[in-house]
Every structure is written in structure tokens, then in C-alpha cells.
Amino acid sequence: VEKAKRKQASLLLKRADLQEIPSTWTEVEDALVEVNPHDEEYWDIHDKLRESMGTAWISKLWRVQNMSLWTYYSFHKDRLTRNGINHNERLVWHGTSSLDPSIIYNDQQDGFMMQFSNKGLWGRGIYFADESVYSDKYSYKPPTSDMPLTAGRCEGEEDEREMFLAKLLVGNMIFIDRDESPEKASECRKLTVPPTDASTGLKYNTVRGETSGSQVWIVYENGRAYPDYVVRYYKGRRDINRTLYKTRNEATRSKKRKQKSSSPKSSPKSSSHKSYTPKSDPTVDVEQGLSS
């Protein structure tokens, strides 16, 4: 058994050499990296979060750089491709409820696991949503100053929540309308694997449904989702101590000013690669108190 495990690990490492690492990753492969609010990456996710939660603001954003999980995910993408299936990759939301997200992003084998799943409307599977407002109902409440800190993340505020923005390999999917009839709803709750596609004799990769105004995707195996980002957010009025910039344009203007002020002409010893800390920024038109 141990010999087989070592062989599998060796094959995964060889495959990793062939996998394309995301362009946003830093040189550190196994890390939780905070995304700077000056970066376009930050605002792309901010916009996606607010597509269905218009009053949400990001207070912290971390990129998950876990080479083992990325290799496992890439293996599943390659497997779908070799079987002639369009992997149909999507960005989706996932809330972990009471489970600390670090259990997933620090894992070195599976990441999102069926073993942590409860039975839902479409049976026991791993659920992902198109709308952030849906996953918000299952979001994780980070520890506050009165509780132990979580791995790789700072303490949270009372009104803050966290969830994953994940990459999902949907593959071949089937839409099942559980509202069709009481019998269909009962049938859905018993699912442990996707139904079989009569045209191919193979099981579908994913079940798609609709509930609470959101499309949801359910997978019944590990490895077909990668925990791309941990998004910490709050809702309501913008707190300038947690969310320094109100818009993408404001952040871009501030970045340009900082780069100009740190150029060799004005300050030879300065660096434009300073880590971000949420302090007042003289280049921003800061409003008093909180801002909507």
C-alpha cells in the first residue's frame, strides 16, 4: 500500500510539472496570499460578489495557492478532456457553514470533500451556487478577538462572514427540477450519485438545480472543485477602515499616484512593493465615518 502511495505521489508530481500554474500566483506555491485592493484581481471578485449582494464589501481577500490541490484538480480536468467531455469550468460560490475554511484550503489531498457533506435538496453532495447571496446563507463566521485565530487569517469583526469563490469542473450536467412533483423532490433527496445519461450509458458529472433564485451545481465526488479564494466580507455601509477604496477607479488612481511618488526620480530608496495595510490614504477622497 505504501509503495502504491509513493508511486501515485510521484506521478502527481510529474503531472504537476505539466500543469499550467495560474498567472496570478506568486512564487510561493503553498500559501494563503492576501490580494491587494490595488489589484484588478481584487475588483473582479468584488464585482462578482456584488452581482447578487449589492451592499456587500470585501474586507479581506486571500488567494489559495495549494499545489497539491491544484494538481488534483488539474488531473480531473485532464481526465474529462481525455474522455471527450468539455470540462465546462465555472466560478462558483461555496459556504462552509460552521466548518473553518482552513480545513479545505490547507488540505493536501481533496480540498472539498464529500465526507463533510450533508444531505440537501439534491441528496448528499458538494453544493456550489451561481449567486453569492445564496451561499451567504451558509457562510462561515470567522473568530473574533475573543476566539482563537484561524490558520493563515486574522481575526474577524462581528458582522463579517467568509465563503469560497471556487473553480468548478461542471462537465456533462443534467438539470433536475425537484419542484416538478413531490415524488421528484423525494427522489432528488435520495441522490448519492448523478443519474445515468441514457444516450451514453455513463453517469452525468454534475446535477444542476434552481433554488432560492440561484442556480446550484451538485457534484458527488472529490477533486472537481478548487478553492480559488477565501472572501471575507460584510454588508451595509462601507467602513473605510476595512474597505479603503469605494471603486476600482479610485484604487487605480491611488496605485498610479503611489507608483509615481515611489519612482527613482522622487525617492531612489523607496519601493512600490509594500504590503497593503488598511490605513488612511492621502490619495483617496475619504468620506467621514462610513460610506455607502
Side-chain angles (χ1 to χ4, degrees):
V1 174
E2 288 302 318
K3 184 178 180 180
K5 286 183 177 180
R6 287 195 298 271
K7 183 177 180 180
Q8 182 184 39
S10 176
L11 290 173
L12 286 174
L13 287 173
K14 289 179 180 178
R15 184 179 294 274
D17 292 335
L18 303 176
Q19 304 303 333
E20 183 178 351
I21 304 302
S23 60
T24 53
W25 280 29
T26 61
E27 293 181 358
V28 181
E29 292 181 349
D30 291 307
L32 191 66
V33 179
E34 184 172 352
V35 179
N36 193 304
H38 286 135
D39 296 340
E40 288 294 313
E41 180 184 7
Y42 177 99
W43 290 98
D44 289 343
I45 295 167
H46 167 271
D47 292 346
K48 186 166 182 61
L49 176 69
R50 287 171 65 98
E51 284 177 359
S52 61
M53 282 202 299
T55 63
W57 298 93
I58 293 177
S59 53
K60 291 283 185 181
L61 177 64
W62 294 277
R63 183 193 317 115
V64 178
Q65 299 184 182
N66 184 319
M67 195 61 206
S68 295
L69 294 187
W70 181 253
T71 301
Y72 190 38
Y73 175 78
S74 298
F75 165 79
H76 280 274
K77 181 184 285 189
D78 182 57
R79 178 173 63 91
L80 290 171
T81 301
R82 284 188 286 105
N83 289 334
I85 299 172
N86 182 352
H87 50 71
N88 192 12
E89 187 177 68
R90 301 185 64 96
L91 282 176
V92 290
W93 297 99
H94 179 85
T96 61
S97 298
S98 60
L99 182 71
D100 190 321
S102 65
I103 301 297
I104 295 172
Y105 68 69
N106 278 333
D107 188 45
Q108 295 297 305
Q109 292 180 305
D110 299 291
F112 295 108
M113 296 176 63
M114 280 289 296
Q115 291 85 336
F116 292 134
S117 300
N118 296 316
K119 182 181 289 188
L121 298 178
W122 284 269
R124 188 179 181 211
I126 309 173
Y127 286 66
F128 301 91
D130 186 47
E131 306 285 347
S132 59
V133 69
Y134 178 83
S135 294
D136 175 59
K137 295 182 292 185
Y138 304 95
S139 57
Y140 176 76
K141 186 181 186 313
T144 61
S145 57
D146 297 327
M147 304 169 65
L149 295 181
T150 53
R153 310 194 310 286
C154 57
E155 63 191 29
E157 299 289 342
E158 187 63 34
D159 62 343
E160 290 180 331
R161 297 295 184 271
E162 292 177 346
M163 56 186 172
F164 282 111
L165 182 61
K167 283 185 171 71
L168 174 67
L169 301 171
V170 175
N172 287 337
M173 67 179 176
I174 180 173
F175 173 74
I176 303 180
D177 183 4
R178 64 178 311 278
D179 296 326
E180 177 183 305
S181 66
E183 292 75 20
K184 179 62 72 173
S186 176
E187 177 185 322
C188 286
R189 290 192 66 86
K190 296 176 182 178
L191 286 173
T192 55
V193 295
T196 299
D197 183 349
S199 66
T200 64
L202 301 175
K203 292 184 178 65
Y204 287 97
N205 302 117
T206 305
V207 169
R208 180 174 70 87
E210 291 184 4
T211 180
S212 301
S214 176
Q215 291 190 82
V216 292
W217 289 268
I218 306 94
V219 296
Y220 302 85
E221 62 177 330
N222 299 347
R224 279 204 290 116
Y226 179 80
D228 225 3
Y229 297 92
V230 179
V231 184
R232 179 177 291 180
Y233 63 97
Y234 60 96
K235 291 180 284 186
R237 297 175 66 84
R238 179 173 67 102
D239 181 350
I240 61 175
N241 294 311
R242 290 184 283 177
T243 309
L244 184 57
Y245 304 110
K246 186 176 182 179
T247 64
R248 185 193 298 258
N249 287 339
E250 190 178 82
T252 300
R253 290 195 303 268
S254 174
K255 181 179 182 179
K256 289 179 179 177
R257 291 182 186 126
K258 287 178 181 293
Q259 289 175 337
K260 185 176 180 180
S261 65
S262 61
S263 64
K265 290 183 180 180
S266 58
S267 180
K269 296 182 179 180
S270 64
S271 170
S272 61
H273 299 287
K274 296 179 180 179
S275 59
Y276 165 71
T277 53
K279 297 179 181 179
S280 60
D281 187 337
T283 67
V284 179
D285 295 328
V286 176
E287 303 172 37
Q288 295 296 319
L290 300 176
S291 170
S292 59

